[in-house]
């Protein structure tokens, strides 16, 4: 790698992602007005309430075009949670009269002000992040920690690092993405001392990777990447990051170091596939696709995606166990949801082999022999001795096709997410072979990414 080429690439990216002075001023003015209005509304209700701006726009690590302002209204701990929620919503509606209520760990108000997207969130003002009553209580501590340590140069490197994570598709701590949060990116740039230092280190990571900025961790973690929260010794900031996304960061870090180019920082969304294009891919691949399509449960995304992944794992495990050999699979969700599975084996024989115990294990072997020898309804072939020293039967297979299994009540015997199971119990359809091409109408972009996977 040419050092000059890397620096030139970063400079080009900085030019794109650094907010202009005018943009900074517009945001600063809007944020100051929001904080002032929220403080007035909050102190009318609780005299010693206060308000802080948090998040990337408060720390100067936001990228050009980002329109988010996060305002936290902090209430003393001598009020109860129900009162905090009530006051928080009242303040939110007063400051953002056209806003709407959303829910994380507790309700808050989301709206728009002077062209900026605003989250106005109530929290408790606790003395330390280890004393939080809800997850949002620690956010002001994150803000204070980073504001004290990020200078202008490091803040610029954070913006570049965020652009890189967005470009390679690993940015976002939502449970659909399972990627790197803004706070985590900031901590990693701070910990390693810059963007170049971060990607150089990441290129050589050997998970498990452990970083403890304050050297105060008090517990162990099993995650591939561990960054102990400098404000809470029992929390791994990187807990949500999937092993695949750690690997993707490593791959793209090596690629960037080998061949620096601004294009690596640009998100790439593939052109959606048409049903005909999906059918062409399937014909080329020669696999047998199946999909279970249903109306998703009415839950927030961070509850939906773990349930979809659990359900997909349960279905693929059951298909593998029945001999249909999952080739690859993915979950899809928008207006509808689907568990999409490509199979290497389209159909199984009418009988299946079932190995019993060795003949010399007398008690178990006798029980196995007598059980199958006594079967008169759909009698098996055997029992007989085959191979080395075991009893074997060849018995009727319950399902000879994956579709038959997926359409049966046996589907509900697999490990499914609770909400997904309820949704399937209401109604679902099974698509087989070319029928799955119909998914392209809703999921053309996702299927394009599936059939043209990137690292």
């Amino acid at each position: 790698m040419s050092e000059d080429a890397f620096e030139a690439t970063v400079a080009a990216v900085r030019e794109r992602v650094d907010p202009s002075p005018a943009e900074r001023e517009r945001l600063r003015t809007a944020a100051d007005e929001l904080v002032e209005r929220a403080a007035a509304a909050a102190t009318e209700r609780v005299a010693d309430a206060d308000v802080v701006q948090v998040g990337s726009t408060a720390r100067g690590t936001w990228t050009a075009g980002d329109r988010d302002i996060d305002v936290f209204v902090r209430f003393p701990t001598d009020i109860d949670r129900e009162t905090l929620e009530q006051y928080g919503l009242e303040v939110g509606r007063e400051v953002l009269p056209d806003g709407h209520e959303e829910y994380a760990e507790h309700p808050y108000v989301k709206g728009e002000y002077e062209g900026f997207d605003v989250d106005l969130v109530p929290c408790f003002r606790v003395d330390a992040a280890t004393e939080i009553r809800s997850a949002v209580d620690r956010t002001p501590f994150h803000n204070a920690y980073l504001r004290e340590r990020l200078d202008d140069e490091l803040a610029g490197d954070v913006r570049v690092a965020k652009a890189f994570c967005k470009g390679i598709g690993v940015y976002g701590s939502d449970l659909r993405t399972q990627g790197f949060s803004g706070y985590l990116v900031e901590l990693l740039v701070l910990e390693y001392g810059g963007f170049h230092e971060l990607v150089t280190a990441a290129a050589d990571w050997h998970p498990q990777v452990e970083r403890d900025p304050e050297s105060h961790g008090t517990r162990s973690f099993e995650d591939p990447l561990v960054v102990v929260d400098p404000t809470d010794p029992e929390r791994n900031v990187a807990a949500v990051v999937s092993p695949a996304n750690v690997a993707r960061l490593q791959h793209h870090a090596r690629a960037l170091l080998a061949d620096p180019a601004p294009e690596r920082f640009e998100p790439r969304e593939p052109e959606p596939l048409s049903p005909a294009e999906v059918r062409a891919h399937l014909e080329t691949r020669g696999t047998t696709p199946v999909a279970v399509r249903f109306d998703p449960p009415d839950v927030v995304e961070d509850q939906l995606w773990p349930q979809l992944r659990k359900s997909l794992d349960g279905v693929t495990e059951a298909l593998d166990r029945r001999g249909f050999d999952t080739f690859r699979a993915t979950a899809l969700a928008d207006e509808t949801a689907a568990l999409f599975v490509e199979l290497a084996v389209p159909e199984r024989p009418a009988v299946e082999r079932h190995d019993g115990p060795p003949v010399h294990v007398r008690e178990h072997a006798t029980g196995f022999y007598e059980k199958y020898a006594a079967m008169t309804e759909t009698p098996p072939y055997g029992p007989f001795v085959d191979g080395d020293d075991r009893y074997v039967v060849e018995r009727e297979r319950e399902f000879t096709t994956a579709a038959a299994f997926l359409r049966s009540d046996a589907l509900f015997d697999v490990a499914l997410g609770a909400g997904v199971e309820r949704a399937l119990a209401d109604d679902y359809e099974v698509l087989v072979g070319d029928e799955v091409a119909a998914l392209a109408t809703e999921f053309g972009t996702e299927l394009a990414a599936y059939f043209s996977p990137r690292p």
Side-chain angles (χ1 to χ4, degrees):
M1 177 199 71
S2 164
E3 198 73 31
D4 291 343
F6 188 92
E7 291 178 1
T9 293
V10 169
V13 174
R14 287 267 323 240
E15 187 174 345
R16 175 173 67 83
V17 301
D18 283 357
S20 68
E23 190 175 1
R24 292 174 188 270
E25 183 57 33
R26 285 196 302 273
L27 185 138
R28 186 180 303 111
T29 299
D32 288 347
E33 291 173 357
L34 285 164
V35 168
E36 182 179 349
R37 292 174 60 180
T43 53
E44 281 183 7
R45 291 160 175 82
V46 179
D48 59 346
D50 66 3
V51 178
V52 292
Q53 181 193 357
V54 299
S56 61
T57 54
R59 301 191 284 267
T61 58
W62 54 293
T63 58
D66 285 353
R67 313 299 294 171
D68 298 326
I69 299 177
D70 299 317
V71 176
F72 274 43
V73 182
R74 300 192 300 181
F75 291 102
T77 56
D78 58 3
I79 69 171
D80 59 35
R81 186 171 181 130
E82 183 178 347
T83 304
L84 174 135
E85 293 181 5
Q86 175 191 333
Y87 288 166
L89 290 175
E90 289 176 359
V91 171
R93 295 188 189 106
E94 187 171 326
V95 176
L96 301 168
D98 295 326
H100 62 276
E101 183 179 323
E102 292 204 359
Y103 194 92
E105 190 166 340
H106 53 65
Y108 66 97
V109 173
K110 189 178 189 71
E112 186 178 309
Y113 183 79
E114 298 296 332
F116 293 94
D117 296 323
V118 181
D119 286 354
L120 204 151
V121 182
C123 70
F124 287 106
R125 187 175 61 242
V126 295
D127 293 330
T130 53
E131 300 173 8
I132 63 170
R133 296 189 180 185
S134 72
V136 296
D137 296 345
R138 65 164 63 91
T139 303
F141 294 96
H142 295 168
N143 203 63
Y145 182 86
L146 288 168
R147 288 194 67 168
E148 291 174 6
R149 291 163 175 81
L150 288 175
D151 57 24
D152 289 344
E153 188 62 31
L154 282 174
D157 274 10
V158 166
R159 288 191 289 273
V160 173
K162 288 181 177 180
F164 184 63
C165 288
K166 291 175 184 178
I168 65 176
V170 301
Y171 188 76
S173 60
D174 58 281
L175 293 182
R176 178 174 188 165
T177 306
Q178 294 183 297
F180 293 73
S181 68
Y183 178 52
L184 176 57
V185 172
E186 290 168 323
L187 287 177
L188 288 170
V189 169
L190 180 62
E191 175 73 1
Y192 285 104
F195 174 67
H196 181 265
E197 291 81 359
L198 169 58
V199 293
T200 301
D204 285 329
W205 277 349
H206 292 274
Q208 186 184 59
V209 177
E210 298 180 85
R211 309 297 293 190
D212 187 354
E214 293 299 302
S215 302
H216 70 166
T218 56
R219 54 168 293 196
S220 60
F221 302 91
E222 297 181 359
D223 309 296
L225 176 62
V226 175
V227 179
V228 178
D229 192 330
T231 73
D232 185 345
E234 295 191 351
R235 177 174 180 258
N236 175 20
V237 180
V240 75
V241 184
S242 68
N245 279 333
V246 173
R248 288 188 181 100
L249 180 64
Q250 290 191 269
H251 168 85
H252 288 282
R254 292 170 188 166
L256 177 67
L257 292 169
D259 182 22
E263 293 75 22
R264 297 188 184 278
F265 295 76
E266 297 283 354
R268 289 177 290 166
E269 187 171 275
E271 287 295 317
L273 295 181
S274 67
E277 289 169 325
V278 170
R279 285 191 289 269
H281 275 291
L282 295 172
E283 184 176 353
T284 299
R285 293 163 73 81
T287 56
T288 298
V290 293
V292 176
R293 193 175 197 178
F294 55 97
D295 290 330
D298 186 18
V299 296
V300 298
E301 275 212 341
D302 272 2
Q303 294 175 338
L304 174 63
W305 279 94
Q307 292 193 38
L308 288 174
R309 290 193 179 99
K310 177 180 179 179
S311 303
L312 185 66
D313 288 346
V315 168
T316 56
E317 189 276 332
L319 289 169
D320 285 337
R321 193 171 66 250
R322 288 169 170 79
F324 296 106
D325 293 0
T326 299
F327 188 78
R328 191 147 57 96
T330 190
L332 306 166
D334 193 5
E335 293 300 314
T336 66
L339 306 177
F340 176 90
V341 186
E342 271 189 292
L343 302 172
V345 178
E347 190 170 355
R348 300 294 291 160
V351 294
E352 64 179 352
R353 177 187 174 98
H354 178 48
D355 291 338
V359 175
H360 64 263
V361 183
R362 183 169 183 171
E363 183 177 351
H364 293 295
T366 300
F368 179 88
Y369 184 90
E370 291 177 348
K371 172 185 175 181
Y372 284 100
M375 292 181 69
T376 57
E377 187 176 342
T378 62
Y381 293 84
F384 57 93
V385 176
D386 189 43
D388 294 327
D389 60 352
R390 291 179 178 273
Y391 282 131
V392 172
V393 294
E394 294 167 346
R395 61 190 181 186
E396 182 181 25
R397 186 182 296 274
E398 187 177 11
F399 303 106
T400 60
T401 66
F405 161 68
L406 295 172
R407 291 186 174 114
S408 76
D409 288 342
L411 176 62
F412 295 92
D413 294 333
V414 309
L416 300 169
V420 171
E421 184 171 2
R422 289 193 297 272
L424 293 174
D426 287 339
D427 191 28
Y428 68 94
E429 64 174 330
V430 176
L431 307 175
V432 184
D434 282 357
E435 293 173 352
V436 303
L439 294 172
T441 304
E442 184 176 3
F443 301 111
T445 300
E446 291 86 347
L447 290 172
Y450 177 87
F451 287 116
S452 300
R454 58 183 294 196

